[in-house]
Amino acid sequence: MTTFQYSLAFFVIMAVIVAGDAANVTYDGRSLIIDGQHKILFSGSIHYTRSTPQMWPSLIAKAKSGGIDVIDTYVFWNIHEPQQGQFDFSGRRDIVKFIKEVKAHGLYVCLRIGPFIQGEWSYGGLPFWLHNVQGIVFRTDNEPFKYHMKRYAQMIVKLMKSENLYASQGGPIILSQIENEYGMVARAFRQEGKSYVKWAAKLAVELDTGVPWVMCKQDDAPDPLVNACNGRQCGETFKGPNSPNKPAIWTENWTSFYQTYGEEPLIRSAEDIAFHVALFIAKNGSFVNYYMYHGGTNFGRNASQFVITSYYDQAPLDEYGLLRQPKWGHLKELHAAVKLCEEPLLSGLQTTISLGKLQTAFVFGKKANLCAALLVNQDKWDSTVQFRNSSYRLSPKSISVLPDCKNVAFNTAKVNAQYNTRTREPRQNLSSPHMWEKFTETVPSFSETSIRSESLLEHMNTTQDTSDYLWQTTRFEQSEGAPSVLKVNHLGHVLHAFVNERFIGSMHGTFKAHRFLLEKNMSLNNGTNNMALLSVMVGLPNSGAHLERRVVGSRSVKIWNGRYQLYFNNYSWGYQVGLKGEKYHVYTEDGAAKVQWKQYRDSKSQPLTWYKALFDTPEGEDPVALNLGSMGKGEAWVNGQSIGRYWVSFHTSKGNPSQIWYHIPRSFLKPNSNLLVILEEEKEGNPLGITIDTVSVTEICGHVSNTYPHPVISPRKKGLNRNEQKHLTYRYDRRPKVQLQCPTGRKISKVLFASFGTPNGSCGSYSIGSCHSPNSLAVVQKACLRKSRCSVPVWSKTFGGDSCPQTVKSLLVRAQCS
């Protein structure tokens, strides 16, 4: 066995050691130090609130299998203390159980207490009652805010200590964070902001957790707190630690980006992520956290303004917890390759060598037999370089990892990992009108409201975040009936308008432009007219300075009747918070019995209609999703639990809904007769198009060239005796391979395509090229059929010879899992 292979074996053995005894966690200018050992650590963000306790073990296990050492999570103040002094750590809020689950898998924890977290989470994680504290100004040198922040941080740390969860107590928490991206707002608070940062750092130290603290996007983080980087390119943008005695830490490497309604998803490739991680490591980075590693679901009303219910679905683990390939597998290979370099990387000696105008070698190690190198090509073209008397061809915008300064173990631009295709299969159609009942909200009149004002009230102050909905009603006299125009200037998200209980139209803003004008034609009665405006929030704001000052709502209301305008800003207005269906909790079995439901008969619907139906749980273990592609905008509940807001009717610039499928965790379900309740705000929503689907990976694909490095991590070869395994190790282990693996419980049932030679295209679209081995399909079928996973070397002898010498060849295989 080579030194290279011994190092890999040692890494695999060390990876399964579980932290148990008390650990001393410190740092120096190179890395975190755990019990005297410098560490290069890969971390993945998984938020306990955005998944379910039943999902946690699988998510954490998949992260560990992907080479993750640390699980990173925010602590969400507003779900733990929704009302002042009333705390909740049950169900998805059970942070202690989550951290203990991480420990059970032998991983560390980075606990980001905040308490402001942003995170595309309602109000940035701050509880709304904080808004009502007399004299408060958020996130600055303000005594009321500091009092409550200190009280909350002390409470969380005390809870962690009581459960022995800090590394100094034998627990998994090795790192904590105070505040979050304060550098983004610091200028707005001037000197008070600077003194607040110092106060927050002092608070963190006084909490005496026994582990280091970080501040992200805070270049002037006071000692001993470590300043950390957030972004997609911290290897290029990070100014570095603000002290030579602090390590380079990357707290948020965005694996995609959060998506808002009306915007297309931002897709970030596995190659791009790997490149920037390797570059950060090359520049002495020692801690990289993927934000998110699993994004999950914004259940209920927890998403911040305009953020869709699905969160970071393009992460290495998708919303449902399925592997997002090749991202998960490519990063796993990167982690393994970097771990092979760990000893020379942390030896303290680094040399930078120019290999060309845009090519650089970062060399680490003190001895010839303890040497690692990362060869960086920043050019958009291939480049051949000379390094240590050997020639290396570097792919465009790539980094090659050489654990022994000689052999390439990994290249960021060459993906050995398989690709997969996620499919959704309808398992139950709710297409029969007999399945549905409906209940329509009544439009309140001025006389039915209890909150009165002589001016237009601000939305959030009035609802106190108890509902997305606020009715604003008034009445006025008209001397004669006439066609008129209603004009409402609104600062917020959505507005629905009703005149004399007739719906006259809606308008909405966007994530980037909240202010809009609703302008609708209408007819008025001769005499008294009633007007009702329904202001709708799609999540609270979550970022920026002076969050406590944000305002939402109608700024001016007027009617033009062809001769003159009526201004309503100083009229007497009546307000109703929320909808009747919310008040009665009609999405629960008990609440549904409190209103009169009618049989659904046709697709001609009214706005603000509740629909309910029953469905059975699909067989199997595949994730379940609700297909709401036929609906407009609203919220959905299953067995009383909200699976989030939906807004299918808000299309992107390409004409696509931002999200159609909505995750229903299996822990929300009963075997049969599950209660589904939908609140539909718009007229166009048609519940007969709703389906209950399952989500799975049914097709897998690999495309590997014979110029690729061999995989650092190869699947075990089952069903072979010891001699056969030795022969395969000798003959194949140093060759590139196509490696395929079906999800648990499935096997390769059919090889859909196989070509060794010069296949055209990629896993997304392919065809046989000018060079093709006629044995391709037979060889792959023999190796892969009826197996859960297989490995096929990209080697001419595997396919019976070389039909086109002197040609770079690749193997492309697409297979079906059943």
Side-chain angles (χ1 to χ4, degrees), residues 77 81-85 127-133 148 151 464:
W77 187 359
E81 193 179 7
Q83 302 298 325
Q84 186 174 357
F128 195 81
W129 58 259
L130 201 66
H131 169 276
N132 298 322
V133 173
H148 286 285
R151 177 187 59 82
Q464 293 290 299

Side-chain angles (χ1 to χ4, degrees), residues 236-291:
E236 297 175 347
T237 61
F238 187 40
K239 296 178 182 178
N242 61 19
S243 163
N245 300 318
K246 297 178 184 180
I249 289 178
W250 190 350
T251 34
E252 289 189 15
N253 178 9
W254 303 329
T255 55
S256 57
F257 206 59
Y258 66 88
Q259 187 180 355
T260 59
Y261 288 110
E263 293 187 346
E264 295 285 348
L266 186 152
I267 308 298
R268 191 177 179 202
S269 70
E271 296 92 325
D272 183 63
I273 298 173
F275 175 87
H276 287 285
V277 171
L279 186 61
F280 188 71
I281 297 296
K283 295 184 177 181
N284 285 322
S286 59
F287 184 103
V288 177
N289 175 61
Y290 298 103
Y291 190 97

